[in-house]
Amino acid sequence: KQEVTQIPAALSVPEGENLVLNCSFTDSAIYNLQWFRQDPGKGLTSLLLIQSSQREQTSGRLNASLDKSSGRSTLYIAASQPGDSATYLCAVNSGGYQKVTFGIGTKLQVIP
Amino acid sequence: NAGVMQNPRHLVRRRGQEARLRCSPMKGHSHVYWYRQLPEEGLKFMVYLQKENIIDESGMPKERFSAEFPKEGPSILRIQQVVRGDSAAYFCASSPTMDGYTFGSGTRLTVV
């Protein structure tokens, strides 16, 4: 059974800092891994999707890496802004038909 | 492209009533997934459907919960005789094939 852990559970940083969010998973036989952000009381917004054959994906100030052998992914956010404040979820797809396991998330607060 | 549409956004039901949650997948997406997010917990897989077929319902409670995705119309998640423990955010996601999900904004069910 796949288990996904996200560390830290909460993070508070001043505006402008670069930061790293961590995601670890127990079963390295994955299909893909996806990072989402969730704003309070709202839905999930997909940020980056990394296929199992890829090592990283970039979108703007975001960079996600994947190391399957060690069961880890990181989400790097450059030059953080108050608008980045949200909960960031890591979702690991290890099912043949897309059954996905989510972490509980990292709650990020960027202080102006 | 309207994305994944869920309605209602908020639903209040008294104990013992029925709750019906609707999800219209993105255009061209034939795979629909329902997830439940309990307070302070990660999203948990409930059921995976394709048109007119339930592919995997291993995450659904055995009683009171059912889901369908008819040939025409939205996918429906139905909860009969709701109890307070059913209060949660219910998210629907869709995908075209085996790639990443697109999520709806969710339905927040409150049982009073």
Side-chain angles (χ1 to χ4, degrees), chain B residues 87-103:
Chain B
S87 295
Y90 292 83
F91 289 96
C92 168
S94 72
S95 68
T97 54
M98 296 285 285
D99 282 332
Y101 291 124
T102 300
F103 274 85

Side-chain angles (χ1 to χ4, degrees), chain A residues 9 36 60 69 75-76 79 90 94 109:
Chain A
F36 295 88
S69 60
L75 179 67
Y76 174 82
C90 168
S94 51
Q109 182 183 25

